[in-house]
Amino acid sequence: MVTLVEKIVSLENEADSIVAAARDEAHGLEKSAMADTEAYRRKISEDMEAKVSSFQKEMEAKHKASVMEAEEELVRALGAVDRIADEVLKEQIDRIVGRFSEI
């Protein structure tokens, strides 16, 4: 009988050891999964920041080019206005004033 009790106690101790080892392994797996998840989140965040930064730089470059084009167009338009002879301007002003005088 003693040997049967000793065997049962031994089996219980072995089962407790197996359960404790399984809990430790599960805890280790949980820590590993949490670390992997955090690393993945960091990578996604870094990738997203890189994409946003790239998009921002691209849009800034397009905006700068658009502004430069508009400025060049303005300079051309102002140059065209400056090239209009004073006589032509005076003639146009007189025509406008004449039209208003008729009304």
Side-chain angles (χ1 to χ4, degrees):
M1 189 78 133
V2 174
T3 58
L4 181 59
V5 172
E6 287 175 351
K7 286 182 180 181
I8 292 172
V9 171
S10 175
L11 284 173
E12 286 179 349
N13 288 337
E14 188 179 338
D16 287 343
S17 295
I18 291 171
V19 169
R23 284 184 182 143
D24 289 344
E25 184 179 351
H27 187 65
L29 289 172
E30 181 183 16
K31 281 185 177 181
S32 176
M34 295 297 282
D36 289 349
T37 301
E38 184 57 33
Y40 184 68
R41 284 183 182 150
R42 266 194 314 271
K43 183 183 180 317
I44 288 175
S45 178
E46 290 169 359
D47 289 349
M48 185 60 67
E49 288 176 11
K51 287 178 182 179
V52 168
S53 178
S54 174
F55 178 75
Q56 183 179 6
K57 287 177 183 175
E58 181 183 340
M59 289 300 105
E60 286 173 354
K62 286 182 178 181
H63 176 70
K64 186 177 180 180
S66 178
V67 168
M68 289 177 64
E69 185 179 319
E71 287 175 347
E72 290 171 359
E73 186 177 332
L74 176 63
V75 167
R76 285 192 300 272
L78 290 175
V81 169
D82 286 343
R83 287 190 297 277
I84 297 174
D86 287 340
E87 294 172 6
V88 174
L89 287 176
K90 173 107 173 78
E91 183 180 310
Q92 293 298 321
I93 292 170
D94 290 342
R95 287 179 65 193
I96 293 169
V97 170
R99 291 282 184 177
F100 278 118
S101 296
E102 292 173 4
I103 298 179

